[in-house]
Amino acid sequence: MDSQLLNPTSLKSRFTARFLRALTKINAPNPISSSSPTPREIFQRYRRIKVAADKSMAYSVRSRTTWSRATLSRLRTRSRHRRLASFGPRSSVTTAAVLKKTSSHGKENEGGLGVQAGELRELVPGGEAMDLCNLLDETAHYIKCLTTQVQVMKTIANLYSLE
Amino acid sequence: MNRALPEMLQWQQQQQQQSYFSELSGVFRSQISHLCFDGGFMSSDSVVTREVKPDNNGLETAWPEPGKLEMGSLGLGFEFEPCGPSYNMNYAISGTSSCPPPAAAELVTGKMGSAVGTGNESFKKRKADKLQNSKAAVEDDSMKKIKAYEEDGESKITGPSNSNKSKHKKENSKASEVQKPDYIHVRARRGQATDSHSLAERVRREKISERMKYLQDLVPGCNKITGKAGMLDEIINYVQSLQRQVEFLSMKLAAVNPRLDFNIDNLFTKVEEFPAVQVVANPIHYLHFNPAQEVVSETALRRTISAPVTIPDTSFLDSSCFAQIQPSATWDDVELQNLYNAGRFH
């Protein structure tokens, strides 16, 4: 298993490529390597890296799943909010209203699993407007992508720290 | 024709148990899930076609109860044939259905195999839980899944044997479907309601349990846990821990990162060649996994990140976790190397 080269079009390689590109872009404007960066810089970088990770994963999935679409739209609106602060409250209100409308009728038949299903909906992006059946599908795919993400990021972090 | 009658009656009196039927039907289901007798019999020359309705009705009215039972009990949609050999075969099969379940199953499957051989088949593939519900259709016309043939065939039987219907209703005969309707066909089980709502409910529930099983394979350490609620809790915990891991790893990348003068392709191949890091299998373990493994560089960082990062109650961000970059890197290397080794020799 160690020596196998992975499928070039697999989820893992797509994510890795995108994420590495994003990482180099994030690290590029930092010419000084010797001085330890301030915590604030680290924090900013952390946020950017996290966004880059989520974004590259969502792009690798190519909006085939609801959660990837929700993640991408969330990231886009968030970036838009940052730039146009005045528009923020309005759009969030409308999206919340839309979600409430769609989510009310799809969730009738959960059996006795309402509490956990609600928690799962909070965890999985875009899970609010899905019935339990689709929610479980999305969860499965989401778990698969998260594990890939964790693997790749761990490997990268290890490589960096080894240097 | 009459020789099978006493057998059928006797069998009818004997069997009352649901397990028998479910086992039988389960065997049938597994055996014939890839076969479609209806289509086969319909298309073969020697087999009954729709034109032989009167014969079939005559047959069934001659001994209404067993005939009906036969249709139901076999659960296979055998149509009684006017022609000699297959006719006998059918009755032979019906005769064997009085045997105890495993023997009957064997015999029937043996006979079914030979029956398949004789007729021309164009067997359709169908899912095991999507069969046409002819009995339920007869009972509840509102379902609107009835084929005309079956309606005629069985409407004459429903009169006399209505009382027995609840007892002997089991895996229903699969109707002949030469033309494919656009309904979802569901098999009604014995003793269960057959109106459209509960059938749809059952389909949904089966889908959900199918997905739960798949998730059980994905999430490590879920084999021992039964029940949907516990499984969902495990899944929720697992997703939470994965998300936390992503956050910590990005934090780590932000902290460790500065000296990036890698060749990007080199890095890419290195990443690809590394073995897959195994997520820890022990369900309790992975909850504590992150605090032990992740390293934060500065003490001051805690204040800046504590707000946005959703930290669990068992907060790992106490000062024990903190260290400077240089010494922590080595400690981290060792931990990660162990992790990789564990994954490699898994």
Side-chain angles (χ1 to χ4, degrees):
Chain A
M1 187 174 87
D2 293 357
S3 54
Q4 283 174 9
L5 280 182
L6 295 173
N7 178 15
T9 55
S10 74
L11 176 71
K12 197 171 187 174
S13 10
R14 290 201 305 260
F15 168 69
T16 314
R18 269 182 236 264
F19 186 54
L20 285 174
R21 246 182 279 150
L23 265 187
T24 49
K25 239 195 287 181
I26 292 176
N27 294 325
N30 189 9
I32 314 163
S33 57
S34 54
S35 68
S36 62
T38 67
R40 183 164 186 76
E41 284 175 14
I42 292 184
F43 177 59
Q44 275 179 353
R45 189 129 46 91
Y46 149 72
R47 272 227 292 245
R48 269 189 231 139
I49 289 182
K50 181 160 181 297
V51 164
D54 291 337
K55 208 177 208 178
S56 42
M57 179 48 80
Y59 266 115
S60 307
V61 178
R62 273 291 158 197
S63 64
R64 254 188 295 132
T65 55
T66 311
W67 69 262
S68 62
R69 290 193 291 265
T71 313
L72 285 176
S73 71
R74 198 186 288 179
L75 289 171
R76 283 199 198 111
T77 51
R78 210 177 286 171
S79 69
R80 224 183 298 144
H81 285 182
R82 282 167 189 268
R83 286 171 204 166
L84 313 166
S86 58
F87 282 84
R90 241 181 288 159
S91 56
S92 61
V93 164
T94 51
T95 49
V98 166
L99 281 177
K100 262 196 209 131
K101 232 193 290 181
T102 54
S103 62
S104 56
H105 63 82
K107 300 188 271 180
E108 311 140 351
N109 299 321
E110 286 173 0
L113 308 169
V115 178
Q116 290 100 333
E119 286 185 23
L120 199 54
R121 285 205 177 88
E122 287 174 28
L123 282 180
V124 176
E128 298 89 3
M130 286 190 283
D131 55 342
L132 188 61
C133 205
N134 296 331
L135 182 66
L136 291 179
D137 271 342
E138 295 283 323
T139 310
H141 196 259
Y142 188 54
I143 286 179
K144 202 172 67 145
C145 294
L146 276 182
T147 47
T148 315
Q149 208 175 0
V150 165
Q151 278 175 19
V152 171
M153 289 174 77
K154 266 206 181 104
T155 318
I156 293 178
N158 197 35
L159 284 176
Y160 280 3
S161 54
L162 276 180
E163 281 292 318
Chain B
M1 170 156 80
N2 285 328
R3 64 178 178 274
L5 180 57
E7 289 181 39
M8 294 305 295
L9 285 176
Q10 196 182 6
W11 167 73
Q12 177 185 340
Q13 289 157 12
Q14 282 168 0
Q15 56 78 26
Q16 292 300 331
Q17 290 149 25
Q18 187 173 359
S19 60
Y20 168 74
F21 276 113
S22 55
E23 184 180 352
L24 198 56
S25 61
V27 171
F28 283 157
R29 213 194 267 190
S30 61
Q31 295 294 334
I32 64 172
S33 62
H34 53 284
L35 302 174
C36 169
F37 284 98
D38 311 315
F41 278 117
M42 286 300 288
S43 59
S44 69
D45 306 334
S46 61
V47 181
V48 67
T49 58
R50 292 182 175 232
E51 291 82 53
V52 294
K53 243 187 255 187
D55 282 336
N56 277 348
N57 289 343
L59 273 172
E60 290 171 356
T61 49
W63 33 318
E65 286 180 324
K68 184 159 199 319
L69 282 174
E70 209 171 315
M71 288 277 289
S73 68
L74 291 181
L76 296 173
F78 279 107
E79 335 245 356
F80 301 121
E81 299 170 336
C83 22
S86 9
Y87 185 87
N88 292 333
M89 198 183 328
N90 263 338
Y91 281 175
I93 293 172
S94 65
T96 60
S97 63
S98 61
C99 308
E106 281 175 37
L107 283 168
V108 173
T109 53
K111 293 266 192 299
M112 280 196 315
S114 51
V116 168
T118 51
N120 292 340
E121 308 91 26
S122 61
F123 292 131
K124 287 185 296 187
K125 217 175 197 172
R126 56 169 171 85
K127 286 192 187 166
D129 60 346
K130 294 192 178 172
L131 296 181
Q132 185 159 6
N133 190 349
S134 60
K135 287 228 190 290
V138 173
E139 244 187 354
D140 184 4
D141 282 345
S142 65
M143 280 221 337
K144 297 188 185 71
K145 295 181 184 176
I146 310 164
K147 288 247 162 186
Y149 176 62
E150 283 168 348
E151 229 175 351
D152 291 343
E154 295 207 297
S155 57
K156 306 210 174 178
I157 316 166
T158 52
S161 63
N162 234 340
S163 57
N164 286 332
K165 206 177 245 182
S166 55
K167 266 196 239 166
H168 304 300
K169 184 180 58 170
K170 60 179 295 289
E171 301 300 322
N172 292 311
S173 54
K174 191 170 173 307
S176 51
E177 304 173 18
V178 175
Q179 66 273 20
K180 225 187 186 180
D182 50 346
Y183 303 117
I184 293 181
H185 300 289
V186 180
R187 170 185 276 166
R189 298 207 188 93
R190 172 188 168 82
Q192 290 186 352
T194 54
D195 58 327
S196 57
H197 290 299
S198 47
L199 274 173
E201 267 292 313
R202 197 171 316 121
V203 166
R204 273 194 79 258
R205 263 182 270 143
E206 284 177 6
K207 273 200 224 168
I208 287 179
S209 51
E210 198 183 304
R211 268 139 202 179
M212 295 285 289
K213 275 195 217 121
Y214 179 64
L215 278 170
Q216 210 169 9
D217 297 331
L218 269 188
V219 178
C222 267
N223 319 334
K224 313 138 194 166
I225 299 180
T226 53
K228 287 194 218 161
M231 267 298 304
L232 271 185
D233 282 333
E234 273 302 313
I235 292 170
I236 288 171
N237 282 338
Y238 188 60
V239 170
Q240 271 175 349
S241 89
L242 281 180
Q243 284 176 341
R244 267 184 260 137
Q245 273 181 312
V246 168
E247 284 178 8
F248 298 143
L249 281 172
S250 55
M251 234 194 291
K252 185 168 169 204
L253 280 177
V256 166
N257 206 2
R259 333 167 9 205
L260 177 58
D261 35 350
F262 274 135
N263 184 10
I264 196 68
D265 297 321
N266 187 19
L267 188 58
F268 186 76
T269 52
K270 273 194 187 171
V271 167
E272 295 282 298
E273 284 171 10
F274 257 81
V277 177
Q278 296 292 332
V279 183
V280 182
N282 188 354
I284 307 173
H285 194 185
Y286 66 66
L287 287 178
H288 303 298
F289 171 70
N290 289 331
Q293 295 297 328
E294 300 307 325
V295 175
V296 186
S297 60
E298 300 280 331
T299 314
L301 192 54
R302 169 169 48 169
R303 271 183 277 124
T304 55
I305 66 176
S306 59
V309 174
T310 56
I311 305 173
D313 298 341
T314 65
S315 174
F316 55 90
L317 280 185
D318 27 318
S319 38
S320 58
C321 284
F322 287 88
Q324 293 302 319
I325 294 184
Q326 306 308 327
S328 70
T330 54
W331 171 75
D332 203 21
D333 292 347
V334 171
E335 294 294 316
L336 280 175
Q337 283 300 323
N338 291 339
L339 189 66
Y340 284 139
N341 292 336
R344 210 172 295 165
F345 300 119
H346 196 269

